[in-house]
Structures are given as structure tokens and as C-alpha cells.
Amino acid sequence: MLGDGYNAEEHDAFIAKARELTDILLSTSPFKERKDDFNIWALAPAARESGISRPSLDVYRDSPIGATYDAFRSVRYVLTFDNKSMRRVASSAPYEFIEILTNTEVYGGGGIYGLFSTAAANSYWAPYLFVHEFGHHFAGLADEYYTSPVEYLPPDEIVEPYEPNVTALLNPDDLKWKHLVTEGTQLPTLWPKEQYEEYMHEYQKVRAEMRANDAPEHEMDELFIEARDFVENLFSDVEHNDAIGAFQGANYDAKAYYRSEMNCLMFTRTDYFCQVCSDAIERVIDEYSRAPEM
């Protein structure tokens, strides 16, 4: 865990936040059941100024790891493009995975499979951001949401994605998680897609307007809470709420891709992974923690 944008006087705050988010990660299944397989180090070289860059507001910080908002023109996407500095800091301790905690309040994070993940440590949503983005980095999990604006261009041809938790459903008889699907489950699997999209369309309009007007972060948090509660209420009494199947809408596309369950930490701001994501995480833990058979 690397801290970025913490000055010398804020080091204790970084350590406290690192411990808090470690506890949250290791209380979330399947990490909870495998916590003894992890060693965690926390490092935060002192920054000259608090915080990190946010170019869209003309805020620039020469932070030690170079984390910044507005990556790929998305205000909420936090990455570092200074790989050399990041690796120099990380090399002070043994590591296989990296999550960067930024000393910021504005909602944001990012995760790249096998490279690193980031989370705004002082955001109300830091617990969700930390676990969600680590899922990208650690297990190659795809985003299952599809109504938020992203800067990715859609592919010219739809092929089966490499990520373990989404599918193009090109061959329903060979669904990649078919061993988890109860016999008789309909593929694609019905869910209140139209109601969800109608609400989310209006929600995203409000969100964009608030961001454009630089609304206070607590007002953004209230909007996110409202959206989370709407989704949980909508899904609570749906027939296939607990089913494993193929639910249309995932991987930034409303039609081309499908997710395995109606809800998951990779789909909304909930606090649990679906079974497919959990299994993918466990496979990676096994790869790094189990001695090879002789």
C-alpha cells in the first residue's frame, strides 16, 4: 500500500487509513477466509504538498508517486503515469501487488490488471473504492456496470472477453461459469433492466451536472447513496435476485456483454462479490500462496 500526497505531518493519518482499509479488505469474502495468506506493507514518502493533481481544476501537485485525477479525460479515474517513481518507492519492501492511497476526498480510483490500483483514501466511498479497484488489479475482474460514461471506445468486433466475470454469451451452451448455473435457469436471465436503466439515465445526468458545477463532495455522496439504495430496493424482491445466470448489461455495454449475477461489488456500490468474482479471486490467491505439487 503506497500513500501519495501525504506530507510529513500526515504520515500517521496515512498509517491509520492503511490499517482501516486493510481491515475492510480482509473482512470481505473471499479475502476474509484467506487473510492469513497476505502480508501487507504500507509506505508513504513525504510529499511537499498535501494532495495530488486534478488537472481539470488546474490543480497540480508534484507528488512522490505522481497519482492524478482526470486520467484518460475521466474526472474520477485516478492513475499514475510515473511508473519509475512508483516502482522506486515500492521497491523499499517486498511486493507482488500495489494499491495507491491518495490523500484526497473527491470520489475516484482506478485499477489495471497486474499493474496497480488506486483509491481516494478520504472519500466517503474509500472502502468500496479500495476493494473494487483491487479486484481489477488483483484478479483481472471487469467492471460490470455499463451506464456510467467512460472514455473507452467500443470494439469493432464482439469477442469473448478475457475477464472471468463477464461474457459475450456467444455460445450459451458453453457459458464460462456454467458449472455454477442451476439447471433450468434461463439464459439470458431476466432482471428489471428497463427500470434500472431509466433511473440510471436520469441519475447520470444529475451527476454530470453536479460535477460540472464542482458540487461539494458531501452532495455527491448523497447522490451516490440514493442511487445505491434505489438499486438494492429494486433488486430485493426480484425472482432471480440470488440466481447465477447471464444478466444482460456489463463491461460498459448495455447489450453485448453479460454478468453472472444481478448484483456484485463490480456492478454497484454494494459490499460483496458475486460467486464468479469470488472464485476468480481465490484462484489468484492459490497461485501465489500454495506450494506447487511435487
Side-chain angles (χ1 to χ4, degrees), residues 229-281:
D229 292 347
F230 170 84
V231 172
E232 291 182 352
N233 290 332
L234 177 65
F235 291 175
S236 62
D237 59 355
V238 175
E239 179 183 358
H240 300 294
N241 186 30
D242 298 320
I244 298 177
F247 296 83
Q248 189 179 41
N251 202 27
Y252 319 127
D253 196 298
K255 296 181 178 179
Y257 299 106
Y258 300 75
R259 60 195 190 277
S260 65
E261 294 187 35
M262 201 177 311
N263 206 1
C264 173
L265 207 149
M266 303 308 292
F267 181 54
T268 69
R269 297 181 187 89
T270 189
D271 58 1
Y272 63 89
F273 287 106
C274 67
Q275 187 63 54
V276 170
C277 287
S278 293
D279 290 351
I281 291 168

Side-chain angles (χ1 to χ4, degrees), residues 35-291:
K35 61 184 178 181
D36 291 340
D37 291 316
F38 285 84
N39 296 299
I40 299 177
W41 302 73
L43 305 166
R48 288 194 291 269
E49 296 179 275
S50 294
I52 66 170
S53 296
R54 190 177 172 192
S56 59
L57 294 184
D58 291 327
V59 174
Y60 297 93
R61 298 285 186 270
D62 184 18
S63 59
I65 298 169
T68 178
Y69 285 90
D70 302 306
F72 303 127
R73 301 176 300 278
S74 174
V75 65
R76 71 178 186 278
Y77 203 4
V78 178
L79 297 177
T80 178
F81 298 95
D82 189 352
N83 185 65
K84 184 176 180 179
S85 294
M86 180 188 73
R87 298 294 177 186
R88 183 186 295 116
V89 174
S91 68
S92 298
Y95 73 93
E96 289 157 330
F97 301 93
I98 296 172
E99 181 136 14
I100 300 166
L101 302 182
T102 62
N103 187 21
T104 55
E105 178 188 14
V106 175
Y107 183 95
I112 301 176
Y113 182 34
L115 189 59
F116 64 85
S117 53
T118 69
N122 306 327
S123 168
Y124 173 88
W125 299 96
Y128 160 76
L129 289 164
F130 184 88
V131 180
H132 174 98
E133 302 299 353
F134 192 64
H136 290 309
H137 168 42
F138 185 77
L141 302 180
D143 280 321
E144 297 179 8
Y145 60 78
Y146 63 91
T147 58
S148 297
V150 295
E151 297 298 333
Y152 299 108
L153 295 174
D156 294 330
E157 179 185 1
I158 301 299
V159 299
E160 184 63 20
Y162 77 86
E163 294 95 338
N165 60 320
V166 294
T167 179
L169 202 64
L170 300 176
N171 183 2
D173 294 333
D174 195 29
L175 181 64
K176 64 173 69 173
W177 50 76
K178 64 181 179 180
H179 61 289
L180 296 173
V181 178
T182 302
E183 185 176 354
T185 300
Q186 183 182 20
L187 300 177
T189 314
L190 294 177
W191 70 288
K193 188 171 186 285
E194 290 186 7
Q195 292 170 267
Y196 171 81
E197 290 176 356
E198 181 180 1
Y199 174 86
M200 295 304 293
H201 176 70
E202 294 302 316
Y203 156 78
Q204 292 295 347
K205 285 172 55 178
V206 173
R207 177 179 178 176
E209 291 171 0
M210 292 176 67
R211 277 288 178 233
N213 295 324
D214 196 25
E217 199 61 19
H218 71 88
E219 293 183 9
M220 299 298 301
D221 293 338
E222 291 170 1
L223 180 68
F224 296 161
I225 291 170
E226 177 186 302
R228 180 197 61 192
D229 292 347
F230 170 84
V231 172
E232 291 182 352
N233 290 332
L234 177 65
F235 291 175
S236 62
D237 59 355
V238 175
E239 179 183 358
H240 300 294
N241 186 30
D242 298 320
I244 298 177
F247 296 83
Q248 189 179 41
N251 202 27
Y252 319 127
D253 196 298
K255 296 181 178 179
Y257 299 106
Y258 300 75
R259 60 195 190 277
S260 65
E261 294 187 35
M262 201 177 311
N263 206 1
C264 173
L265 207 149
M266 303 308 292
F267 181 54
T268 69
R269 297 181 187 89
T270 189
D271 58 1
Y272 63 89
F273 287 106
C274 67
Q275 187 63 54
V276 170
C277 287
S278 293
D279 290 351
I281 291 168
E282 287 225 62
R283 286 195 294 271
V284 178
I285 297 174
D286 285 343
E287 290 173 4
Y288 282 85
S289 65
R290 295 291 183 257

